[in-house]
Amino acid sequence: MARPPPNPLYILRGSGDVVNTLHFCCDGQGPSLLYSGSGSGAIHVWNLTTRRPERVLESHSGNSVIWLQALKESSTLISQGRDMRMCVWDLSEGRGAVTDALFTGSVGFCQCSLLETQPGSTLLAHPTEHMEEVSVVEMKSWTQVCTLKPDLKLGMLMCMKMWQAESGPVLCAGYEDGSVILYDVSHRRLFSCLKAHTEPVMCLDVDVCRQKGVSGSSDNILQSWTIDDQRNLQMHGSVQLTNPGVSSARVRADGKILATAGWDNNVRVFGWKKLKPLAVLQHHTDMVNSVAFSDHQDPPQRLLAAASKDQRITVWSIYSES
Amino acid sequence: MMMKSGDRGTSLCSQVHRTRHYWFCWTPSAPQTLPSITSNRLHTKTPDAFLPQQYYPLLATNILCMLEKTCQALRDGQDCSLGFVAQLLGKVCMQGYSSFIFETLVPRLSSLTRTDPLWQRVIQKLLEKIPERCMESVITGLIFNLRGAAAVSRLMGNLVVTNKKAQFVLTYKLVLQQYQHPTRLLKSLLGYLALNAERRPLLKQVLQSVCQVWCNSSAIKHTCVEQQLYVSKALLLCVALLNLSEIEELREEMLQCMLGGVQCRLDSNIERIRRMGMVVGECLSHRLDMPGSQLKFKYEPDEEIIELKSLMESIPTKDSEESEPEHQSDDTSRLQPESETSLTQSVTSQSGRDSDSELDSDDDLTPYDMSADQEKKKSAPPRYVRDCLEALMSSNDAERVELSLQAAEGLLRKNVKATQEVSVQFCKVLLHLDDRYNTEGFQVLRQNAMVALTVTDTKPVVEYLTTEFYSLNYSLRQRLDVLEVLALSAQELSEPITNKHTGAQPIAAVAARDQSDDITHWRQIVETRIQSKTRRISKSATQMVKAVPNRYASVAGSFIFPLLRNYDRSQVTFDLLGTDHLVLGRLLHTLGLLMHLAVNAPVASQMGRALLDFVWAVRFHTDQMVRRGVMFAVCAVFLSMPSDTLLTDLSDDLMETRAWLADVAENDCDTDCRSLAVQGLILLDKNLTTQLQLPDVET
C-alpha cells in the first residue's frame, strides 16, 4: 500500500494576481528568500521563515513579470517583463531600485537564461523582436556577444537554457515545432538538432553534470535526451502523462528528482534517472505556471515551490531526506 | 459351411450338458440366441461364458478364424460360400449386439484388408450376402466402429452402389432421419462416399437432399436443436469434400439453400439456431464466393461453433489417422524436452535482464500513492436529480450526458423525495434515450437507472411502463427493455435483505424528534424486557434473520395485470401474437418470473388464475421459445399459487390441462419444452395428491 502524497508545508497567499515565476535564494547569509513575479508586475520577496512578503516591488509598469533570477553574492535581481524590458534591481541594504534596464523588444513569453561565468562577467541570453532569434549579451556593458538563429523554419523560440561547457558557453533552445537545438555560443554555430516533440516545446531543463536534459510540451509526453561527447542530442527516455500540458520542468540540484508543473493543476514528481513517476501533488485549483527547487545546502531543508494561476504559491518538502 | 459351425455348436452344447441337465434342441438359430436362451432357463445362475459381454466376442473370434480359413481355402482354389456367416452376423446385429461383435472384429479386419486384396473381396462378398432386414443394423454398427473413411471403403467396397437397402440407409437414413450418431461416423460415411468415382454421384445426391432439408423453414421450426446441428454438420462435411468442378455444378442450388436457410435461422428466437445459421452461412459463402464478397457474421465463438468450423478443413482420407495415435506420443515426448530447455533458457535470460535493470533504478525513492490522478474532465458530474434529468433530456455535450448517466443510479437511490417527484418523467426520458455518443456500458447504466426508479417510486413508474409496453411506435428493443426492467425491479423488491444498497442510505426526511424517539424507544424497551425474561437453554448457532416487510407483495398486482390486458389487440407497429413472437416469448418468461416472486402475496391466487387464462390462449404457438415460456409460466403458477385455490380454480379445466401437459411432455420436438412439461405435471400431481388426501379422522 503506497502512502498517500504529502500535503504542502505552507501556502503563500497575498500575491494579488497570477504568479508566473519563482526563484529561491537560500544559501546566502540572512533569511531564506523566495522571489515571485506576478501578472500585475509585482515582485514579492517572501521571507520563508516568517512566511510573509518582506518587500513588494512594483515593476514593469504593471505588466506581467515572466522571469526572475538573483545573482549570487550580490543583492542583485534581474527581472523580465512583458513590457519588452529587462530590469536589473539593486536590493542591498533595503533599497529597491532599478539600476539598469535593457530593451529587448520581445513580445513573446520566452524566459531568459543567465550564466555567471566568473563573478565579474555574466552572460544573459534573451529573446529579441525577431521571433526565432536569441541574443546573448554581456551584462555589465550590455555588449552583444552574438545572435543565434536556426537555419530552418522552426517557428517561435519557446524556452532556453545556457550553461558553461569546457569549450565555452552552450545554449539549448526549444522551438514551436517541437525541436530542441544545441548551439555553440562562442563560435555562433549549431551543434545539433533534435525533434523531441510534435507540439511546441513549452519548457526545458538541463542537468549539466549528467549531460542530460528534459523537455515538456503541450502534449502528454515528457521527453528526456542526452548530450554526448560530440555534442549530439539523442533521445533518451520518455514518460506519458495523464493529462497533457507542461508549463515548467526543473531538475533538482542533486539530480535525484524532477518536478513538472502541469496545466491540469498538478505538480508531478519523477525520478530523474529513468523518469519513473513518483508522486502527483494535488492542491492548486488552476494551472501551475512554474516550479522551483530551493538551493539550501542542508538536504533536509530542501523545498519545492509551485506557483499557480490561482494566485497561490505552495511550498512542499518531498524526498528531502538524504 | 456347416462343418465349422457344427464343431463350434457341439463344443458349446457339451459345455451346457456338463453344467446342467437340461436338454435343448439344436436349431440353426442357436448360435446367435444362445445367451438369451440360457439366461431364460438359468436366470441368475447363468455361467459367465454365456453372458453377452463374453459370448459375442468369443463368437467374433470364431468368425474371424473361419474367415481366415476361407481365405486360405480360396487361395488353394476351393469355392466357399459365406451365406451362413452373413446370416449369423445379420441376426446378431439385429438383436442389438453389434457393438460387442464389431469391437473385436473390426480392428482385425481393418488391418488385414489393408494389405491383402483377397480379404477385401471376402469381406465385401460377406456384406453383400447379409439379409435385407438385417442390413441396416450391420452397416450402422460397422461404420460406427470403423475409424476413417479409407477403412470403410476397403471393407464395404461399392456396396452402397449395388445394394438398394444399403444405399437407402447410408444416404438417407443415417444422415437425415437419425441424429444420435457421433461426428466421426458422419465423417467416415461421407468420406467413404467421396473416395470412389462411382460413389461420388451419391455424395452429390446426399448434398442435394441435405441442402433441401437445411433450408426448409418448417423443418427449422419443428425439429429439435440437436437434429439441426447434426444436419448442419452433414452439410458442412459434404461441402468440404466436394471438389471445384462439383461445386460449380451445384452452385445455384447451394447458394439458394444458403440464403434461404440463413434467413430462416436468423429469424428464430433460439440463439443456438441463430449461431448455427451464421456459421454455416459463413462457411458456405467462403467456399462459394470470391474473397471480396464473402459473408461475415459477428458472434461469440464457443465449442460447438469451433467444432463446426473445423469440419470445413480437409479431412485426411489416408490411414494416417489410425497410425496417428502411436506417433503422437513420440512427437509429444520429443517436443517436451526441447520446450523445457528453451523455457529454462528464456527464464534465465529474463532474470538476468531484470537484475540489471533493478540495479539501475532508484530503489531508494519509493513512489507515493497516485491513484487519485485521473484524466481531467471538462465538466463535473451532476449532484442533483433534476440536474441529471435536464442533462439527459436536452444536453448536446457528450461528456455531460455520459457523466449524468453514470451518476443517475446513485442519485436516484439516495434522494428518495426528489426521485418521487420526477419519477415518471425520468422514466420517459430513459426509455427514449439512445446511445448517441457510444457510451461505455450504456445498456447496463440505463437499465440500472430505470430499476432504481421503479424501486424507489413503484406504483406510478410501473403503471407508466406497463401502459407503454402496449403503446404504438416503440421499437422491439424498447419493449424488451420494459420487460427486463420490470423483472429486475420485482426481483429486487421481493428480496428480504437489502445489503446491496446499504452504502447509499436514503437521506431521511428530518422527523420530529419526540416521534422517532417514541417509536424506536418502545420497541427497544419491549425487546429488552423479553430478553431478560427468557431463559436460554442453549445458544442458537445461527443468527436470527431480521424480518423485513415484503415490498413486492403490495404492488405485485400492478406488475402483472396490466401486462395481461391487451395482448390480442394487434396494432400497426406491434403484433404480439403474430410476427413479434420474440416479445411474446420474453413476455411469458417475465410473467412467469413475476408470478414466482409473488409466492406469498395475498393476490397470488388471482394472478395465477389470470395467468393461466392467458397462457391457455397461446399454448399451441409454433415458436419454440414461446412454448418454453408457456411451460415456465405454468410451472411458476403451480409453484406459487396456494394449493387449495389451485384445485378449486382449475377444477373444470383440470383434465384438459393434464392431458395437454402429458401431450407436450411426449410429443413436443423441443427438449426444454418436454422437460418443463414433465416438471409441470409433477407439480400438479403433487398438489392434487396433497389436496385430495382425506384428513385423518380423530376418534
Side-chain angles (χ1 to χ4, degrees):
Chain A
M1 231 353 247
R3 47 208 169 134
N7 284 322
L9 277 184
Y10 45 89
I11 304 166
L12 301 172
R13 291 168 226 262
S15 177
D17 207 325
V18 299
V19 188
N20 286 326
T21 180
L22 292 171
H23 184 78
F24 274 100
C25 191
C26 308
D27 61 341
Q29 309 90 336
S32 312
L33 295 174
L34 173 63
Y35 296 95
S36 76
S38 78
S40 60
I43 301 176
H44 292 254
V45 183
W46 302 87
N47 184 327
L48 294 177
T49 330
T50 64
R51 298 170 192 174
R52 295 270 189 282
E54 231 176 45
R55 262 198 266 179
V56 182
L57 309 166
E58 299 295 335
S59 64
H60 297 283
S61 333
N63 288 312
S64 154
V65 179
I66 51 175
W67 180 70
L68 287 173
Q69 181 108 4
L71 289 180
K72 296 186 200 140
E73 280 149 45
S74 60
S75 310
T76 319
L77 182 70
I78 303 163
S79 70
Q80 176 191 11
R82 292 216 65 222
D83 61 345
M84 299 188 275
R85 239 170 244 287
M86 307 231 21
C87 295
V88 181
W89 302 75
D90 177 20
L91 299 175
S92 55
E93 289 155 19
R95 282 179 282 215
V98 181
T99 51
D100 220 340
L102 173 70
F103 179 78
T104 59
S106 158
V107 295
F109 294 87
C110 178
Q111 293 174 328
C112 305
S113 182
L114 193 79
L115 175 61
E116 293 182 76
T117 45
Q118 293 108 30
S121 118
T122 356
L123 286 176
L124 177 74
H126 67 85
T128 63
E129 65 261 17
H130 304 289
M131 291 298 207
E132 318 82 48
E133 199 179 60
V134 180
S135 169
V136 182
V137 295
E138 203 276 308
M139 270 199 63
K140 282 287 174 293
S141 52
W142 296 127
T143 46
Q144 194 181 57
V145 174
C146 68
T147 60
L148 300 165
K149 208 165 151 174
D151 306 318
L152 308 157
K153 278 258 177 279
L154 297 176
M156 199 163 67
L157 175 74
M158 301 295 294
C159 50
M160 53 187 168
K161 180 162 168 106
M162 191 160 61
W163 68 92
Q164 181 76 9
E166 310 94 43
S167 58
V170 174
L171 179 90
C172 183
Y175 288 86
E176 195 183 350
D177 75 330
S179 305
V180 174
I181 297 202
L182 196 65
Y183 292 102
D184 177 5
V185 179
S186 31
H187 298 107
R188 298 174 185 78
R189 64 185 171 92
L190 188 140
F191 274 133
S192 81
C193 174
L194 177 71
K195 184 92 160 58
H197 297 274
T198 49
E199 305 252 328
V201 180
M202 300 307 286
C203 60
L204 56 79
D205 197 17
V206 178
D207 182 357
V208 185
C209 318
R210 289 168 190 81
Q211 291 288 289
K212 197 166 131 191
V214 66
S215 58
S217 86
S218 53
D219 61 13
N220 60 349
I221 307 269
L222 194 66
Q223 182 75 42
S224 76
W225 25 268
T226 53
I227 308 170
D228 61 10
D229 303 320
Q230 283 83 37
R231 301 271 189 266
N232 285 326
L233 290 167
Q234 278 170 5
M235 303 278 241
H236 185 71
S238 67
V239 67
Q240 191 170 30
L241 308 168
T242 322
N243 291 311
V246 181
S247 30
S248 165
R250 283 279 176 270
V251 182
R252 199 160 70 177
D254 61 355
K256 287 242 179 87
I257 57 174
L258 152 78
T260 59
W263 291 357
D264 60 345
N265 319 350
N266 295 333
V267 174
R268 285 168 207 275
V269 179
F270 298 90
W272 181 219
K273 269 202 199 110
K274 292 189 140 321
L275 287 185
K276 179 170 106 174
L278 291 175
V280 176
L281 306 174
Q282 293 175 319
H283 180 83
H284 287 286
T285 54
D286 210 331
M287 66 185 269
V288 185
N289 281 328
S290 165
V291 281
F293 279 105
S294 69
D295 47 351
H296 286 101
Q297 301 290 23
D298 193 17
Q301 285 182 338
R302 284 184 298 213
L303 300 169
L304 162 68
S308 159
K309 204 166 155 194
D310 62 359
Q311 306 178 9
R312 311 257 182 280
I313 303 169
T314 46
V315 181
W316 314 72
S317 168
I318 191 164
Y319 294 120
S320 47
E321 53 294 326
S322 55
Chain B
M1 181 169 77
M2 290 300 278
M3 56 208 175
K4 299 290 178 243
S5 52
D7 279 349
R8 201 174 45 246
T10 45
S11 66
L12 287 170
C13 286
S14 54
Q15 266 190 332
V16 172
H17 278 238
R18 271 183 240 124
T19 49
R20 280 285 175 269
H21 302 296
Y22 288 104
W23 291 85
F24 70 97
C25 209
W26 166 251
T27 65
S29 65
Q32 50 267 43
T33 52
L34 199 55
S36 349
I37 295 180
T38 44
S39 310
N40 279 342
R41 291 296 171 90
L42 303 175
H43 301 295
T44 48
K45 301 189 200 82
T46 320
D48 282 340
F50 286 94
L51 291 175
Q53 294 91 319
Q54 305 207 349
Y55 176 79
Y56 286 109
L58 180 65
L59 190 59
T61 35
N62 276 301
I63 294 181
L64 211 51
C65 295
M66 206 218 66
L67 287 174
E68 277 179 16
K69 290 192 181 143
T70 316
C71 277
Q72 192 56 47
L74 282 173
R75 285 203 194 96
D76 296 338
Q78 275 180 323
D79 283 333
C80 296
S81 159
L82 293 165
F84 178 73
V85 182
Q87 279 191 19
L88 182 65
L89 200 57
K91 290 217 182 108
V92 168
C93 289
M94 218 163 72
Q95 286 178 347
Y97 296 115
S98 57
S99 54
F100 293 126
I101 284 264
F102 283 126
E103 268 168 17
T104 329
L105 261 186
V106 159
R108 222 24 218 126
L109 286 180
S110 183
S111 51
L112 283 170
T113 49
R114 205 180 297 176
T115 46
D116 196 349
L118 181 62
W119 267 100
Q120 290 183 13
R121 265 187 41 221
V122 166
I123 302 296
Q124 287 170 14
K125 266 266 180 279
L126 173 68
L127 287 175
E128 275 170 29
K129 284 264 167 33
I130 290 188
E132 278 280 318
R133 60 185 201 285
C134 320
M135 184 63 89
E136 184 192 333
S137 25
V138 170
I139 292 187
T140 315
L142 189 61
I143 296 197
F144 187 84
N145 285 300
L146 275 173
R147 306 234 169 273
V152 180
S153 178
R154 288 195 302 264
L155 287 181
M156 283 182 35
N158 279 343
L159 187 67
V160 72
V161 178
T162 50
N163 192 318
K164 284 280 164 265
K165 178 79 183 183
Q167 191 179 63
F168 175 72
V169 169
L170 287 176
T171 58
Y172 191 75
K173 202 158 185 188
L174 280 183
V175 178
L176 293 173
Q177 284 190 344
Q178 298 177 341
Y179 59 92
Q180 75 274 24
H181 302 296
T183 317
R184 65 178 163 82
L185 185 136
L186 269 179
K187 278 190 188 171
S188 316
L189 168 62
L190 294 169
Y192 159 64
L193 288 178
L195 271 179
N196 192 325
E198 279 184 25
R199 305 196 286 258
R200 280 197 94 100
L202 286 174
L203 180 69
K204 285 195 273 194
Q205 190 187 327
V206 167
L207 177 64
Q208 281 167 333
S209 45
V210 169
C211 274
Q212 278 182 8
V213 168
W214 197 76
C215 66
N216 189 342
S217 59
S218 69
I220 297 172
K221 285 205 170 67
H222 296 290
T223 54
C224 65
V225 184
E226 289 78 25
Q227 181 160 19
Q228 293 187 30
L229 182 62
Y230 189 81
V231 170
S232 308
K233 283 187 193 169
L235 180 61
L236 287 178
L237 280 169
C238 282
V239 174
L241 285 168
L242 291 178
N243 58 27
L244 285 170
S245 56
E246 285 158 347
I247 289 188
E248 282 309 310
E249 261 180 66
L250 298 169
R251 190 191 183 86
E252 276 309 309
E253 242 180 274
M254 279 168 59
L255 206 57
Q256 223 175 7
C257 152
M258 173 182 91
L259 293 172
V262 171
Q263 186 186 358
C264 287
R265 280 187 166 71
L266 287 179
D267 194 32
S268 157
N269 285 347
I270 300 175
E271 187 163 354
R272 248 175 111 184
I273 295 182
R274 285 202 299 264
R275 279 209 288 231
M276 259 195 273
M278 288 195 260
V279 173
V280 174
E282 262 190 29
C283 296
L284 282 179
S285 159
H286 190 67
R287 258 343 255 284
L288 291 175
D289 292 326
M290 304 300 294
S293 57
Q294 280 169 4
L295 209 53
K296 197 96 183 95
F297 286 104
K298 195 170 128 175
Y299 45 78
E300 300 286 324
D302 65 350
E303 286 173 13
E304 213 172 80
I305 290 181
I306 294 175
E307 196 198 338
L308 278 176
K309 282 190 141 164
S310 69
L311 294 177
M312 280 300 279
E313 282 140 41
S314 59
I315 302 162
T317 51
K318 296 292 161 206
D319 294 330
S320 51
E321 25 176 73
E322 289 177 39
S323 48
E324 252 177 30
E326 304 126 47
H327 283 257
Q328 257 176 10
S329 49
D330 295 336
D331 284 331
T332 47
S333 58
R334 254 185 284 123
L335 277 173
Q336 266 173 4
E338 286 172 18
S339 60
E340 276 170 19
T341 51
S342 62
L343 267 174
T344 47
Q345 276 172 4
S346 63
V347 164
T348 47
S349 62
Q350 209 180 25
S351 59
R353 265 186 279 121
D354 278 334
S355 54
D356 284 333
S357 63
E358 269 175 37
L359 289 172
D360 279 339
S361 69
D362 352 44
D363 15 349
D364 51 341
L365 293 176
T366 51
Y368 286 94
D369 177 30
M370 291 185 274
S371 55
D373 183 23
Q374 277 166 3
E375 269 182 49
K376 201 164 157 213
K377 289 204 163 51
K378 278 178 283 181
S379 29
R383 289 183 197 277
Y384 298 102
V385 172
R386 284 187 193 270
D387 282 348
C388 195
L389 176 59
E390 196 224 317
L392 286 173
M393 261 202 309
S394 49
S395 169
N396 281 328
D397 179 9
E399 214 179 321
R400 218 169 142 224
V401 170
E402 208 176 296
L403 286 172
S404 308
L405 194 58
Q406 283 167 353
E409 190 198 345
L411 282 177
L412 289 169
R413 281 189 196 270
K414 263 173 113 168
N415 305 302
V416 175
K417 274 273 177 281
T419 311
Q420 284 171 347
E421 284 166 20
V422 293
S423 54
V424 179
Q425 205 185 2
F426 213 121
C427 192
K428 202 186 290 189
V429 168
L430 283 175
L431 190 57
H432 289 97
L433 196 66
D434 30 52
D435 192 8
R436 273 188 290 170
Y437 308 108
N438 200 13
T439 319
E440 219 177 278
F442 176 78
Q443 284 295 339
V444 174
L445 288 170
R446 178 168 164 255
Q447 197 177 73
N448 287 345
M450 285 173 82
V451 170
L453 269 175
T454 322
V455 166
T456 328
D457 189 18
T458 318
K459 279 214 157 73
V461 176
V462 168
E463 194 185 313
Y464 172 71
L465 285 175
T466 48
T467 337
E468 292 309 298
F469 179 68
Y470 281 111
S471 305
L472 290 172
N473 293 334
Y474 277 106
S475 71
L476 285 185
R477 178 74 247 169
Q478 284 169 317
R479 295 189 206 267
L480 291 176
D481 283 341
V482 165
L483 288 178
E484 275 176 25
V485 165
L486 287 173
L488 283 173
S489 30
Q491 262 183 324
E492 198 184 311
L493 284 172
S494 57
E495 265 171 22
I497 302 164
T498 56
N499 52 1
K500 251 199 306 177
H501 300 286
T502 43
Q505 293 287 347
I507 298 169
V510 175
R513 236 195 105 179
D514 30 329
Q515 263 186 351
S516 54
D517 271 354
D518 278 349
I519 292 171
T520 51
H521 200 50
W522 70 254
R523 208 169 262 167
Q524 275 177 4
I525 293 178
V526 171
E527 283 268 343
T528 43
R529 242 183 237 163
I530 295 177
Q531 294 287 345
S532 58
K533 296 255 163 79
T534 37
R535 192 169 60 142
R536 295 217 178 267
I537 300 174
S538 66
K539 263 213 155 94
S540 58
T542 56
Q543 262 182 337
M544 296 288 286
V545 177
K546 225 173 113 192
V548 172
N550 184 349
R551 296 173 289 165
Y552 180 61
S554 47
V555 291
S558 57
F559 272 81
I560 278 203
F561 293 121
L563 284 176
L564 290 174
R565 227 184 296 147
N566 290 323
Y567 66 90
D568 50 357
R569 188 172 59 162
S570 127
Q571 297 160 342
V572 178
T573 51
F574 185 46
D575 185 14
L576 192 60
L577 293 178
T579 48
D580 295 327
H581 42 79
L582 177 65
V583 183
L584 180 60
R586 288 285 190 91
L587 174 65
L588 285 164
H589 273 98
T590 313
L591 288 171
L593 183 66
L594 291 173
M595 179 73 224
H596 174 64
L597 289 169
V599 66
N600 286 323
V603 74
S605 34
Q606 284 130 320
M607 280 167 69
R609 219 175 307 151
L611 189 54
L612 279 178
D613 283 337
F614 173 57
V615 152
W616 200 245
V618 292
R619 66 192 194 279
F620 289 129
H621 203 274
T622 49
D623 186 73
Q624 286 153 334
M625 201 178 130
V626 172
R627 288 204 303 275
R628 278 190 213 168
V630 165
M631 289 296 128
F632 176 65
V634 164
C635 289
V637 170
F638 289 161
L639 269 176
S640 357
M641 226 164 111
S643 30
D644 33 2
T645 44
L646 185 69
L647 194 56
T648 47
D649 286 335
L650 274 188
S651 57
D652 32 354
D653 301 319
L654 192 61
M655 282 303 120
E656 264 189 69
T657 316
R658 277 200 92 244
W660 163 58
L661 280 175
D663 181 55
V664 171
E666 268 175 61
N667 297 333
D668 196 293
C669 56
D670 187 46
T671 25
D672 281 333
C673 281
R674 288 200 297 266
S675 56
L676 280 171
V678 166
Q679 284 179 355
L681 268 176
I682 294 176
L683 285 168
L684 184 59
D685 287 346
K686 200 161 66 117
N687 273 327
L688 282 178
T689 44
T690 46
Q691 287 306 306
L692 292 176
Q693 259 174 1
L694 296 167
D696 289 341
V697 177
E698 291 192 349
T699 51

